[in-house]
PDB file of all heavy atoms in Angstrom:
ATOM      1  N   GLU A 902     136.528  38.367 131.702  1.00 86.00           N
ATOM      2  CA  GLU A 902     136.541  37.535 132.916  1.00 86.00           C
ATOM      3  C   GLU A 902     136.040  36.116 132.625  1.00 86.00           C
ATOM      4  O   GLU A 902     136.656  35.125 133.029  1.00 86.00           O
ATOM      5  CB  GLU A 902     135.677  38.222 133.980  1.00 86.00           C
ATOM      6  CG  GLU A 902     135.477  37.396 135.247  1.00 86.00           C
ATOM      7  CD  GLU A 902     134.428  38.006 136.182  1.00 86.00           C
ATOM      8  OE1 GLU A 902     134.080  39.188 136.010  1.00 86.00           O
ATOM      9  OE2 GLU A 902     133.949  37.278 137.061  1.00 86.00           O
ATOM     10  N   PHE A 903     134.934  36.033 131.858  1.00 89.00           N
ATOM     11  CA  PHE A 903     134.325  34.707 131.692  1.00 89.00           C
ATOM     12  C   PHE A 903     135.138  33.815 130.764  1.00 89.00           C
ATOM     13  O   PHE A 903     135.201  32.592 130.956  1.00 89.00           O
ATOM     14  CB  PHE A 903     132.872  34.845 131.248  1.00 89.00           C
ATOM     15  CG  PHE A 903     132.059  35.544 132.295  1.00 89.00           C
ATOM     16  CD1 PHE A 903     131.519  36.796 132.065  1.00 89.00           C
ATOM     17  CD2 PHE A 903     131.902  34.974 133.554  1.00 89.00           C
ATOM     18  CE1 PHE A 903     130.806  37.457 133.058  1.00 89.00           C
ATOM     19  CE2 PHE A 903     131.195  35.623 134.551  1.00 89.00           C
ATOM     20  CZ  PHE A 903     130.648  36.879 134.309  1.00 89.00           C
ATOM     21  N   LEU A 905     138.360  33.904 130.613  1.00 90.00           N
ATOM     22  CA  LEU A 905     139.472  33.424 131.454  1.00 90.00           C
ATOM     23  C   LEU A 905     138.999  32.258 132.326  1.00 90.00           C
ATOM     24  O   LEU A 905     139.688  31.252 132.476  1.00 90.00           O
ATOM     25  CB  LEU A 905     140.007  34.554 132.347  1.00 90.00           C
ATOM     26  CG  LEU A 905     140.913  35.590 131.692  1.00 90.00           C
ATOM     27  CD1 LEU A 905     141.383  36.604 132.729  1.00 90.00           C
ATOM     28  CD2 LEU A 905     142.118  34.930 131.026  1.00 90.00           C
ATOM     29  N   ILE A 906     137.806  32.419 132.908  1.00 93.00           N
ATOM     30  CA  ILE A 906     137.282  31.354 133.776  1.00 93.00           C
ATOM     31  C   ILE A 906     137.094  30.062 132.962  1.00 93.00           C
ATOM     32  O   ILE A 906     137.395  28.964 133.436  1.00 93.00           O
ATOM     33  CB  ILE A 906     135.964  31.788 134.456  1.00 93.00           C
ATOM     34  CG1 ILE A 906     136.236  32.948 135.418  1.00 93.00           C
ATOM     35  CG2 ILE A 906     135.330  30.618 135.212  1.00 93.00           C
ATOM     36  CD1 ILE A 906     134.993  33.577 136.025  1.00 93.00           C
ATOM     37  N   ASP A 907     136.630  30.220 131.715  1.00 92.00           N
ATOM     38  CA  ASP A 907     136.465  29.031 130.863  1.00 92.00           C
ATOM     39  C   ASP A 907     137.799  28.317 130.633  1.00 92.00           C
ATOM     40  O   ASP A 907     137.869  27.086 130.626  1.00 92.00           O
ATOM     41  CB  ASP A 907     135.854  29.424 129.511  1.00 92.00           C
ATOM     42  CG  ASP A 907     134.347  29.649 129.631  1.00 92.00           C
ATOM     43  OD1 ASP A 907     133.770  29.196 130.646  1.00 92.00           O
ATOM     44  OD2 ASP A 907     133.763  30.288 128.735  1.00 92.00           O
ATOM     45  N   ILE A 909     140.285  28.286 132.636  1.00 94.00           N
ATOM     46  CA  ILE A 909     140.651  27.613 133.891  1.00 94.00           C
ATOM     47  C   ILE A 909     139.820  26.340 134.055  1.00 94.00           C
ATOM     48  O   ILE A 909     140.340  25.262 134.342  1.00 94.00           O
ATOM     49  CB  ILE A 909     140.437  28.573 135.090  1.00 94.00           C
ATOM     50  CG1 ILE A 909     141.381  29.777 134.960  1.00 94.00           C
ATOM     51  CG2 ILE A 909     140.644  27.845 136.406  1.00 94.00           C
ATOM     52  CD1 ILE A 909     141.135  30.889 135.967  1.00 94.00           C
ATOM     53  N   ARG A 910     138.521  26.491 133.802  1.00 94.00           N
ATOM     54  CA  ARG A 910     137.601  25.356 133.976  1.00 94.00           C
ATOM     55  C   ARG A 910     137.995  24.178 133.091  1.00 94.00           C
ATOM     56  O   ARG A 910     137.924  23.020 133.503  1.00 94.00           O
ATOM     57  CB  ARG A 910     136.197  25.837 133.620  1.00 94.00           C
ATOM     58  CG  ARG A 910     135.127  24.812 133.788  1.00 94.00           C
ATOM     59  CD  ARG A 910     133.832  25.394 133.239  1.00 94.00           C
ATOM     60  NE  ARG A 910     132.692  24.580 133.540  1.00 94.00           N
ATOM     61  CZ  ARG A 910     131.453  24.957 133.276  1.00 94.00           C
ATOM     62  NH1 ARG A 910     131.219  26.152 132.743  1.00 94.00           N
ATOM     63  NH2 ARG A 910     130.451  24.158 133.547  1.00 94.00           N
ATOM     64  N   ALA A 913     140.934  22.275 134.823  1.00 92.00           N
ATOM     65  CA  ALA A 913     140.894  21.831 136.220  1.00 92.00           C
ATOM     66  C   ALA A 913     140.500  20.358 136.309  1.00 92.00           C
ATOM     67  O   ALA A 913     139.579  19.920 135.627  1.00 92.00           O
ATOM     68  CB  ALA A 913     139.904  22.694 137.002  1.00 92.00           C
ATOM     69  N   GLY A 922     131.672  21.439 140.493  1.00 96.00           N
ATOM     70  CA  GLY A 922     132.921  22.202 140.496  1.00 96.00           C
ATOM     71  C   GLY A 922     132.734  23.598 139.944  1.00 96.00           C
ATOM     72  O   GLY A 922     131.708  24.245 140.190  1.00 96.00           O
ATOM     73  N   ILE A 923     133.717  24.065 139.187  1.00 97.00           N
ATOM     74  CA  ILE A 923     133.668  25.415 138.618  1.00 97.00           C
ATOM     75  C   ILE A 923     132.447  25.558 137.709  1.00 97.00           C
ATOM     76  O   ILE A 923     132.167  24.664 136.909  1.00 97.00           O
ATOM     77  CB  ILE A 923     134.951  25.677 137.800  1.00 97.00           C
ATOM     78  CG1 ILE A 923     136.176  25.674 138.725  1.00 97.00           C
ATOM     79  CG2 ILE A 923     134.858  26.997 137.028  1.00 97.00           C
ATOM     80  CD1 ILE A 923     137.500  25.759 137.993  1.00 97.00           C
ATOM     81  N   GLY A 924     131.723  26.671 137.806  1.00 94.00           N
ATOM     82  CA  GLY A 924     130.645  26.947 136.868  1.00 94.00           C
ATOM     83  C   GLY A 924     129.324  27.293 137.505  1.00 94.00           C
ATOM     84  O   GLY A 924     128.478  27.915 136.867  1.00 94.00           O
ATOM     85  N   ASP A 925     129.114  26.908 138.739  1.00 95.00           N
ATOM     86  CA  ASP A 925     127.870  27.314 139.400  1.00 95.00           C
ATOM     87  C   ASP A 925     128.206  28.440 140.381  1.00 95.00           C
ATOM     88  O   ASP A 925     129.305  28.974 140.376  1.00 95.00           O
ATOM     89  CB  ASP A 925     127.231  26.106 140.111  1.00 95.00           C
ATOM     90  CG  ASP A 925     125.704  26.210 140.126  1.00 95.00           C
ATOM     91  OD1 ASP A 925     125.196  27.246 140.598  1.00 95.00           O
ATOM     92  OD2 ASP A 925     125.033  25.279 139.647  1.00 95.00           O
ATOM     93  N   ASP A 926     127.256  28.812 141.237  1.00 97.00           N
ATOM     94  CA  ASP A 926     127.530  29.895 142.182  1.00 97.00           C
ATOM     95  C   ASP A 926     128.524  29.472 143.257  1.00 97.00           C
ATOM     96  O   ASP A 926     129.210  30.311 143.832  1.00 97.00           O
ATOM     97  CB  ASP A 926     126.227  30.362 142.829  1.00 97.00           C
ATOM     98  CG  ASP A 926     125.351  31.080 141.814  1.00 97.00           C
ATOM     99  OD1 ASP A 926     125.860  32.023 141.184  1.00 97.00           O
ATOM    100  OD2 ASP A 926     124.197  30.681 141.618  1.00 97.00           O
ATOM    101  N   ALA A 927     128.566  28.187 143.523  1.00 97.00           N
ATOM    102  CA  ALA A 927     129.504  27.684 144.526  1.00 97.00           C
ATOM    103  C   ALA A 927     129.768  26.207 144.242  1.00 97.00           C
ATOM    104  O   ALA A 927     129.000  25.567 143.516  1.00 97.00           O
ATOM    105  CB  ALA A 927     128.919  27.855 145.922  1.00 97.00           C
ATOM    106  N   ALA A 928     130.832  25.701 144.786  1.00 97.00           N
ATOM    107  CA  ALA A 928     131.154  24.281 144.615  1.00 97.00           C
ATOM    108  C   ALA A 928     130.409  23.455 145.669  1.00 97.00           C
ATOM    109  O   ALA A 928     130.116  23.939 146.762  1.00 97.00           O
ATOM    110  CB  ALA A 928     132.651  24.068 144.761  1.00 97.00           C
ATOM    111  N   CYS A 982     140.685  22.874 146.267  1.00 98.00           N
ATOM    112  CA  CYS A 982     141.179  24.235 146.456  1.00 98.00           C
ATOM    113  C   CYS A 982     140.350  25.204 145.630  1.00 98.00           C
ATOM    114  O   CYS A 982     139.663  24.796 144.686  1.00 98.00           O
ATOM    115  CB  CYS A 982     142.657  24.348 146.080  1.00 98.00           C
ATOM    116  SG  CYS A 982     143.004  24.036 144.343  1.00 98.00           S
ATOM    117  N   THR A 983     140.402  26.476 146.015  1.00 98.00           N
ATOM    118  CA  THR A 983     139.828  27.547 145.200  1.00 98.00           C
ATOM    119  C   THR A 983     140.918  28.570 144.923  1.00 98.00           C
ATOM    120  O   THR A 983     141.918  28.650 145.655  1.00 98.00           O
ATOM    121  CB  THR A 983     138.637  28.232 145.889  1.00 98.00           C
ATOM    122  OG1 THR A 983     139.092  28.819 147.112  1.00 98.00           O
ATOM    123  CG2 THR A 983     137.515  27.270 146.177  1.00 98.00           C
ATOM    124  N   LEU A 984     140.711  29.344 143.865  1.00 98.00           N
ATOM    125  CA  LEU A 984     141.741  30.266 143.386  1.00 98.00           C
ATOM    126  C   LEU A 984     141.121  31.629 143.100  1.00 98.00           C
ATOM    127  O   LEU A 984     140.307  31.759 142.176  1.00 98.00           O
ATOM    128  CB  LEU A 984     142.354  29.683 142.100  1.00 98.00           C
ATOM    129  CG  LEU A 984     143.220  30.586 141.239  1.00 98.00           C
ATOM    130  CD1 LEU A 984     144.455  31.049 142.004  1.00 98.00           C
ATOM    131  CD2 LEU A 984     143.635  29.845 139.962  1.00 98.00           C
ATOM    132  N   ALA A 985     141.474  32.633 143.893  1.00 98.00           N
ATOM    133  CA  ALA A 985     141.013  33.997 143.627  1.00 98.00           C
ATOM    134  C   ALA A 985     142.176  34.791 143.045  1.00 98.00           C
ATOM    135  O   ALA A 985     143.209  34.949 143.692  1.00 98.00           O
ATOM    136  CB  ALA A 985     140.503  34.640 144.911  1.00 98.00           C
ATOM    137  N   MET A 986     142.016  35.227 141.800  1.00 96.00           N
ATOM    138  CA  MET A 986     143.093  35.936 141.109  1.00 96.00           C
ATOM    139  C   MET A 986     142.685  37.381 140.891  1.00 96.00           C
ATOM    140  O   MET A 986     141.623  37.649 140.333  1.00 96.00           O
ATOM    141  CB  MET A 986     143.335  35.354 139.713  1.00 96.00           C
ATOM    142  CG  MET A 986     143.609  33.880 139.660  1.00 96.00           C
ATOM    143  SD  MET A 986     143.877  33.385 137.926  1.00 96.00           S
ATOM    144  CE  MET A 986     145.666  33.395 137.898  1.00 96.00           C
ATOM    145  N   THR A 987     143.547  38.307 141.286  1.00 96.00           N
ATOM    146  CA  THR A 987     143.384  39.698 140.891  1.00 96.00           C
ATOM    147  C   THR A 987     144.524  40.002 139.925  1.00 96.00           C
ATOM    148  O   THR A 987     145.696  39.841 140.274  1.00 96.00           O
ATOM    149  CB  THR A 987     143.431  40.622 142.125  1.00 96.00           C
ATOM    150  OG1 THR A 987     142.399  40.220 143.017  1.00 96.00           O
ATOM    151  CG2 THR A 987     143.216  42.063 141.725  1.00 96.00           C
ATOM    152  N   VAL A 996     147.780  33.662 132.486  1.00 95.00           N
ATOM    153  CA  VAL A 996     146.886  32.694 133.152  1.00 95.00           C
ATOM    154  C   VAL A 996     147.269  31.268 132.751  1.00 95.00           C
ATOM    155  O   VAL A 996     147.326  30.369 133.597  1.00 95.00           O
ATOM    156  CB  VAL A 996     145.406  32.993 132.824  1.00 95.00           C
ATOM    157  CG1 VAL A 996     144.499  31.874 133.306  1.00 95.00           C
ATOM    158  CG2 VAL A 996     144.991  34.320 133.463  1.00 95.00           C
ATOM    159  N   LEU A1000     148.584  28.565 135.402  1.00 97.00           N
ATOM    160  CA  LEU A1000     147.866  27.295 135.602  1.00 97.00           C
ATOM    161  C   LEU A1000     148.784  26.089 135.434  1.00 97.00           C
ATOM    162  O   LEU A1000     148.605  25.068 136.100  1.00 97.00           O
ATOM    163  CB  LEU A1000     146.721  27.177 134.600  1.00 97.00           C
ATOM    164  CG  LEU A1000     145.470  27.990 134.901  1.00 97.00           C
ATOM    165  CD1 LEU A1000     144.456  27.772 133.799  1.00 97.00           C
ATOM    166  CD2 LEU A1000     144.879  27.610 136.258  1.00 97.00           C
ATOM    167  N   PHE A1003     150.440  25.730 138.725  1.00 98.00           N
ATOM    168  CA  PHE A1003     149.412  25.466 139.740  1.00 98.00           C
ATOM    169  C   PHE A1003     148.889  24.036 139.607  1.00 98.00           C
ATOM    170  O   PHE A1003     148.832  23.270 140.579  1.00 98.00           O
ATOM    171  CB  PHE A1003     148.271  26.472 139.550  1.00 98.00           C
ATOM    172  CG  PHE A1003     147.233  26.458 140.636  1.00 98.00           C
ATOM    173  CD1 PHE A1003     147.305  27.352 141.692  1.00 98.00           C
ATOM    174  CD2 PHE A1003     146.163  25.575 140.596  1.00 98.00           C
ATOM    175  CE1 PHE A1003     146.341  27.365 142.691  1.00 98.00           C
ATOM    176  CE2 PHE A1003     145.206  25.565 141.592  1.00 98.00           C
ATOM    177  CZ  PHE A1003     145.288  26.470 142.640  1.00 98.00           C
ATOM    178  N   LEU A1014     140.747  21.753 141.651  1.00 98.00           N
ATOM    179  CA  LEU A1014     140.408  23.175 141.693  1.00 98.00           C
ATOM    180  C   LEU A1014     138.904  23.279 141.463  1.00 98.00           C
ATOM    181  O   LEU A1014     138.403  22.907 140.402  1.00 98.00           O
ATOM    182  CB  LEU A1014     141.181  23.920 140.607  1.00 98.00           C
ATOM    183  CG  LEU A1014     140.858  25.403 140.405  1.00 98.00           C
ATOM    184  CD1 LEU A1014     141.125  26.207 141.664  1.00 98.00           C
ATOM    185  CD2 LEU A1014     141.673  25.967 139.239  1.00 98.00           C
ATOM    186  N   VAL A1015     138.162  23.761 142.464  1.00 98.00           N
ATOM    187  CA  VAL A1015     136.695  23.679 142.396  1.00 98.00           C
ATOM    188  C   VAL A1015     136.002  25.030 142.300  1.00 98.00           C
ATOM    189  O   VAL A1015     134.775  25.098 142.260  1.00 98.00           O
ATOM    190  CB  VAL A1015     136.134  22.908 143.618  1.00 98.00           C
ATOM    191  CG1 VAL A1015     136.629  21.465 143.605  1.00 98.00           C
ATOM    192  CG2 VAL A1015     136.499  23.605 144.923  1.00 98.00           C
ATOM    193  N   GLY A1016     136.773  26.128 142.270  1.00 97.00           N
ATOM    194  CA  GLY A1016     136.132  27.426 142.152  1.00 97.00           C
ATOM    195  C   GLY A1016     137.109  28.541 142.415  1.00 97.00           C
ATOM    196  O   GLY A1016     138.313  28.311 142.533  1.00 97.00           O
ATOM    197  N   GLY A1017     136.586  29.750 142.482  1.00 97.00           N
ATOM    198  CA  GLY A1017     137.453  30.892 142.732  1.00 97.00           C
ATOM    199  C   GLY A1017     136.787  32.180 142.341  1.00 97.00           C
ATOM    200  O   GLY A1017     135.556  32.277 142.287  1.00 97.00           O
ATOM    201  N   ASP A1018     137.611  33.172 142.063  1.00 96.00           N
ATOM    202  CA  ASP A1018     137.105  34.474 141.659  1.00 96.00           C
ATOM    203  C   ASP A1018     138.160  35.115 140.777  1.00 96.00           C
ATOM    204  O   ASP A1018     139.358  34.850 140.938  1.00 96.00           O
ATOM    205  CB  ASP A1018     136.843  35.331 142.907  1.00 96.00           C
ATOM    206  CG  ASP A1018     135.838  36.436 142.637  1.00 96.00           C
ATOM    207  OD1 ASP A1018     135.175  36.400 141.572  1.00 96.00           O
ATOM    208  OD2 ASP A1018     135.727  37.341 143.474  1.00 96.00           O
ATOM    209  N   THR A1019     137.723  35.924 139.823  1.00 95.00           N
ATOM    210  CA  THR A1019     138.654  36.573 138.905  1.00 95.00           C
ATOM    211  C   THR A1019     138.298  38.046 138.838  1.00 95.00           C
ATOM    212  O   THR A1019     137.182  38.397 138.461  1.00 95.00           O
ATOM    213  CB  THR A1019     138.555  35.925 137.502  1.00 95.00           C
ATOM    214  OG1 THR A1019     138.738  34.510 137.645  1.00 95.00           O
ATOM    215  CG2 THR A1019     139.617  36.464 136.581  1.00 95.00           C
ATOM    216  N   THR A1020     139.247  38.891 139.254  1.00 95.00           N
ATOM    217  CA  THR A1020     138.973  40.326 139.316  1.00 95.00           C
ATOM    218  C   THR A1020     140.166  41.093 138.760  1.00 95.00           C
ATOM    219  O   THR A1020     141.251  40.518 138.600  1.00 95.00           O
ATOM    220  CB  THR A1020     138.755  40.778 140.784  1.00 95.00           C
ATOM    221  OG1 THR A1020     139.859  40.305 141.570  1.00 95.00           O
ATOM    222  CG2 THR A1020     137.481  40.193 141.353  1.00 95.00           C
TER     223      THR A1020
HETATM  224  P1  ADP B 439     129.683  34.604 140.946  1.00 79.91           P
HETATM  225  O1  ADP B 439     129.545  35.924 140.276  1.00 79.91           O
HETATM  226  O2  ADP B 439     128.399  33.836 141.141  1.00 79.91           O
HETATM  227  O3  ADP B 439     130.519  34.645 142.188  1.00 79.91           O
HETATM  228  P2  ADP B 439     131.778  34.100 139.103  1.00 79.91           P
HETATM  229  O4  ADP B 439     131.377  34.675 137.817  1.00 79.91           O
HETATM  230  O5  ADP B 439     132.732  34.882 139.964  1.00 79.91           O
HETATM  231  O6  ADP B 439     130.479  33.677 139.910  1.00 79.91           O
HETATM  232  O7  ADP B 439     132.440  32.680 138.849  1.00 79.91           O
HETATM  233  C1  ADP B 439     131.831  31.719 138.025  1.00 79.91           C
HETATM  234  C2  ADP B 439     132.366  30.354 138.351  1.00 79.91           C
HETATM  235  O8  ADP B 439     133.759  30.324 138.031  1.00 79.91           O
HETATM  236  C3  ADP B 439     132.265  29.980 139.820  1.00 79.91           C
HETATM  237  O9  ADP B 439     132.032  28.593 139.897  1.00 79.91           O
HETATM  238  C4  ADP B 439     133.616  30.343 140.367  1.00 79.91           C
HETATM  239  O10 ADP B 439     133.923  29.549 141.492  1.00 79.91           O
HETATM  240  C5  ADP B 439     134.502  30.017 139.162  1.00 79.91           C
HETATM  241  N1  ADP B 439     135.744  30.829 139.128  1.00 79.91           N
HETATM  242  C6  ADP B 439     135.858  32.168 138.959  1.00 79.91           C
HETATM  243  N2  ADP B 439     137.144  32.562 138.936  1.00 79.91           N
HETATM  244  C7  ADP B 439     137.874  31.422 139.089  1.00 79.91           C
HETATM  245  C8  ADP B 439     139.263  31.153 139.167  1.00 79.91           C
HETATM  246  N3  ADP B 439     140.192  32.121 139.092  1.00 79.91           N
HETATM  247  N4  ADP B 439     139.652  29.875 139.343  1.00 79.91           N
HETATM  248  C9  ADP B 439     138.733  28.896 139.435  1.00 79.91           C
HETATM  249  N5  ADP B 439     137.429  29.068 139.372  1.00 79.91           N
HETATM  250  C10 ADP B 439     136.978  30.320 139.191  1.00 79.91           C
END
Side-chain angles (χ1 to χ4, degrees):
E902 174 190 344
F903 297 113
L905 283 182
I906 294 173
D907 282 343
I909 296 172
R910 182 187 189 173
I923 295 173
D925 212 306
D926 291 306
C982 64
T983 61
L984 166 62
M986 305 180 98
T987 302
V996 170
L1000 283 179
F1003 188 96
L1014 174 60
V1015 297
D1018 203 12
T1019 306
T1020 51

